[in-house]
Amino acid sequence: MGRYSLKLTVMKKIVFATHNKNKLAEIRNILKNYDVVGLRDIGCETDIVEDGDTLQDNAKIKADFVTNNYHLNCFADDTGLEVEALDGAPGVYSARYAGEGCSYHDNVVKMLAAMKGKTNRKARFRTVIALNLDGKQYFFEGIVNGKITEEEHGDGGFGYDPIFQPDGFEETFAEMSMEVKNKISHRGRAVQKLCEFLNI
Ligand code: IMP
């Protein structure tokens, strides 16, 4: 009779502080060693108020909310578009650049108006991830440099994608496949760093 050995691997649970199903699916695909759950999976319906002054503050606020209230390991992300000619605006206010409750397109229209006639069109997307793991806090940053185009191009993606052209490419993010965008994007780069750290 042969011998059977049963190797049990207990996956560590970690919360990604998001209600966004796409972001969750993307991370689950990469973080194979962890049982990644979203806010809804832990019974959290709260819309956590992101009122920090920096991307790092907001990522920390979200991760700490979960760890303090649910006593779980958690990570959270926050992203901003930083435009050189606008002194780094809209930055941490990227989601509501055109006002509270505005649409992605309202933001694009406002950005094109703000950049009208400007020759310096350099911009970057920056994502910060805060991770609370076993009582310690870590931060990871991802940046992609590029420029604000003169007009909208492409209909993929979301947010400022139709007017952001990453360095080294002829297309805007909105004209790229999601695969290509994820490889070079701010969020993709921050997530890669998080995953390298967690997968050790
Ligand atoms: P969040 O922190 O991921 O919610 O991003 C804040 C805001 O930044 C969003 O509401 C978008 O306007 C913008 N944003 C974030 N990521 C991207 C992206 O990959 N492409 C275009 N816009 C983005």
Side-chain angles (χ1 to χ4, degrees):
M1 210 160 85
R3 281 200 177 174
Y4 297 93
S5 79
L6 181 64
K7 191 178 165 202
L8 274 180
T9 313
V10 180
M11 288 217 290
K12 243 180 149 179
K13 181 164 159 174
I14 194 159
V15 182
F16 182 13
T18 184
H19 289 297
N20 185 321
K21 283 184 190 158
N22 295 324
K23 282 189 183 178
L24 203 54
E26 191 180 292
I27 284 278
R28 279 189 177 133
N29 208 29
I30 310 171
L31 266 185
K32 308 271 191 202
N33 301 348
Y34 282 79
D35 176 20
V36 185
V37 297
L39 288 176
R40 226 149 257 145
D41 301 312
I42 58 166
C44 175
E45 297 290 336
T46 312
D47 221 351
I48 305 164
V49 179
E50 301 175 35
D51 56 2
D53 291 331
T54 64
L55 299 175
Q56 182 161 333
D57 286 348
N58 278 344
K60 179 178 162 52
I61 286 170
K62 288 185 274 186
D64 286 352
F65 180 89
V66 171
T67 301
N68 294 338
N69 290 287
Y70 295 85
H71 309 289
L72 292 167
N73 287 326
C74 176
F75 62 90
D77 70 338
D78 201 40
T79 293
L81 174 66
E82 299 171 337
V83 181
E84 199 170 278
L86 304 178
D87 297 324
V92 74
Y93 306 108
S94 294
R96 51 206 145 104
Y97 181 45
E100 216 58 56
C102 65
S103 68
Y104 287 141
H105 196 247
D106 294 335
N107 285 336
V108 165
V109 169
K110 177 160 179 184
M111 178 56 67
L112 287 178
M115 291 298 286
K116 204 170 165 90
K118 298 219 188 286
T119 46
N120 176 7
R121 306 194 68 88
K122 283 188 199 161
R124 66 179 192 177
F125 271 114
R126 195 160 66 88
T127 293
V128 176
I129 294 177
L131 167 69
N132 289 339
L133 185 72
D134 303 331
K136 285 193 180 152
Q137 188 158 63
Y138 307 87
F139 292 96
F140 305 89
E141 184 184 66
I143 290 175
V144 59
N145 290 304
K147 66 168 190 181
I148 302 295
T149 53
E150 302 275 351
E151 51 195 40
E152 294 173 56
H153 295 283
D155 49 18
F158 71 100
Y160 299 90
D161 280 352
I163 54 168
F164 183 82
Q165 185 179 318
D167 286 350
F169 290 82
E170 294 300 316
E171 311 95 350
T172 65
F173 268 167
E175 294 174 294
M176 290 179 177
S177 69
M178 203 189 290
E179 261 185 3
V180 174
K181 181 189 162 187
N182 285 343
K183 262 192 198 139
I184 61 159
S185 81
H186 43 300
R187 197 169 21 260
R189 286 177 173 159
V191 165
Q192 269 164 31
K193 288 184 189 170
L194 170 78
C195 293
E196 276 163 26
F197 180 83
L198 285 176
N199 279 331
I200 298 170

